[in-house]
Amino acid sequence: MNLLFVLLSIFTVYTEKTFKTECVVEVYASPEIANVVVDSIIVDFRTNPENLFSWAFNGAGKQNDKDKDAFLIDYKSTYYDPKMDYGRAIIDVIVPKVTTFKNISLEGKVVDEIGNLFVFDKNFEIDKFPLKEITIYSRHVFIDATYSGNLIKKAYGNLYIIPVSENKCVYYMDMNIRFGWFFDIFISKKVYKNTMEWRIEQYMKNLKNTAEGIK
C-alpha cells in the first residue's frame, strides 16, 4: 500500500491469474465539480481521445525508462454510444524491441449511472482495502471489455465518485485484468507494478488536481 500525504491510497492483489488494483484519492471539491471532470473524460473519449493525454493521462505516457516502458498502449480510435451502453477502443500494444500487436479491438459494456449528490459517506476510510461494497455514490462508471484474441482474457473496472461532504469527495477506481498467454508469461507482479500501478496512481492524481482546479 502506498500513502501519499494520506490523500491517496493504492493497493494491488494478484489472485487466480488476475491483477486487481484499487485506488482512492481525496478530492477537495464538491460532488458536482467532481462529476464535471468525469463528464469531460467521457466527452474526450467520444470526440477527441488524444486530448485525454493533455490532462487525464498527463505524465503517464512513455517515460524513456525500460522498466516503466516494458509495454505501452497507443490509442488509435475510440467510440462510445451511451444509449446502447457500448464502447470500443482500437489500440496498438507495443513491447519495445520485441513486437507490436496492431489494431487490437477492445469493446463491450460501458454503463454510466448517476447516484445521489446529497447523500454523504462521512465515515469513508481512504486506506482500508479491499473496500467494502460501495452503496453511497454520486457517479458510477462501469466498463466491461471483451476481446477475442489471446492478449487479454478479461478486463473490467469501476470509477466512483463518493461524496463525503458538500465540499469534499473521493474518486475510487478498481481495475481488474487477466492477461492471455503472452502477457501472462511476460507480466510478473514486478512488471505490472512498474508499468501499470503507478500510471493508475498518476491518472487519479490528475482527476483530483483537475477537480480542485475548477473554480
Side-chain angles (χ1 to χ4, degrees), residues 31 60 83 106 136 140 145 161 166 190:
K83 293 182 180 179
L106 298 174
I136 298 174
H140 172 216
I161 300 172
E166 291 182 356
K190 181 179 179 180

Side-chain angles (χ1 to χ4, degrees), residues 74-116:
D74 182 19
Y75 282 86
K76 313 292 286 193
S77 65
T78 59
Y79 173 77
Y80 173 54
D81 182 349
K83 293 182 180 179
M84 298 298 294
D85 291 337
Y86 170 81
R88 181 180 68 244
I90 307 297
I91 64 174
D92 287 349
V93 179
I94 304 164
V95 184
K97 299 182 179 180
V98 179
T99 189
T100 296
F101 300 92
K102 290 184 173 293
N103 298 320
I104 303 300
S105 178
L106 298 174
E107 57 185 306
K109 190 174 185 179
V110 180
V111 178
D112 180 14
E113 58 177 348
I114 303 298
N116 196 319

Side-chain angles (χ1 to χ4, degrees), residues 41 45 49-63 75 173 198-199 202-204 206-207:
I41 293 172
F45 182 83
E50 286 295 323
N51 193 52
L52 288 168
F53 292 89
S54 70
W55 67 281
F57 299 143
N58 183 42
K62 189 175 181 180
Q63 302 295 303
Y75 282 86
M173 186 173 80
W198 72 268
R199 286 184 163 96
Q202 181 64 36
Y203 169 73
M204 295 292 277
N206 287 340
L207 298 192

Side-chain angles (χ1 to χ4, degrees), residues 20 22-27 31 34-35 38 41 111-116 121 124 131-143 156-163 169-176 203-204 207:
K20 178 176 183 176
E22 294 180 85
C23 186
V24 59
V25 61
E26 288 183 334
V27 181
N35 268 314
V38 175
I41 293 172
V111 178
D112 180 14
E113 58 177 348
I114 303 298
N116 196 319
D121 190 348
F124 185 86
L131 261 64
K132 62 184 180 181
E133 182 182 2
I134 296 173
T135 56
I136 298 174
Y137 59 88
S138 62
R139 187 78 169 265
H140 172 216
V141 179
F142 169 69
I143 298 176
Y156 64 94
N158 299 274
L159 174 64
Y160 286 93
I161 300 172
I162 302 170
C169 57
V170 300
Y171 285 121
Y172 164 81
M173 186 173 80
D174 69 70
M175 188 172 78
N176 307 265
Y203 169 73
M204 295 292 277
L207 298 192

Side-chain angles (χ1 to χ4, degrees), residues 14-55:
Y14 180 73
T15 57
E16 297 180 351
K17 296 186 176 182
T18 300
F19 290 94
K20 178 176 183 176
T21 299
E22 294 180 85
C23 186
V24 59
V25 61
E26 288 183 334
V27 181
Y28 289 92
S30 68
E32 292 91 339
I33 288 178
N35 268 314
V36 168
V37 176
V38 175
D39 285 338
S40 297
I41 293 172
I42 292 173
V43 169
D44 278 354
F45 182 83
R46 292 181 65 186
T47 62
N48 186 15
E50 286 295 323
N51 193 52
L52 288 168
F53 292 89
S54 70
W55 67 281

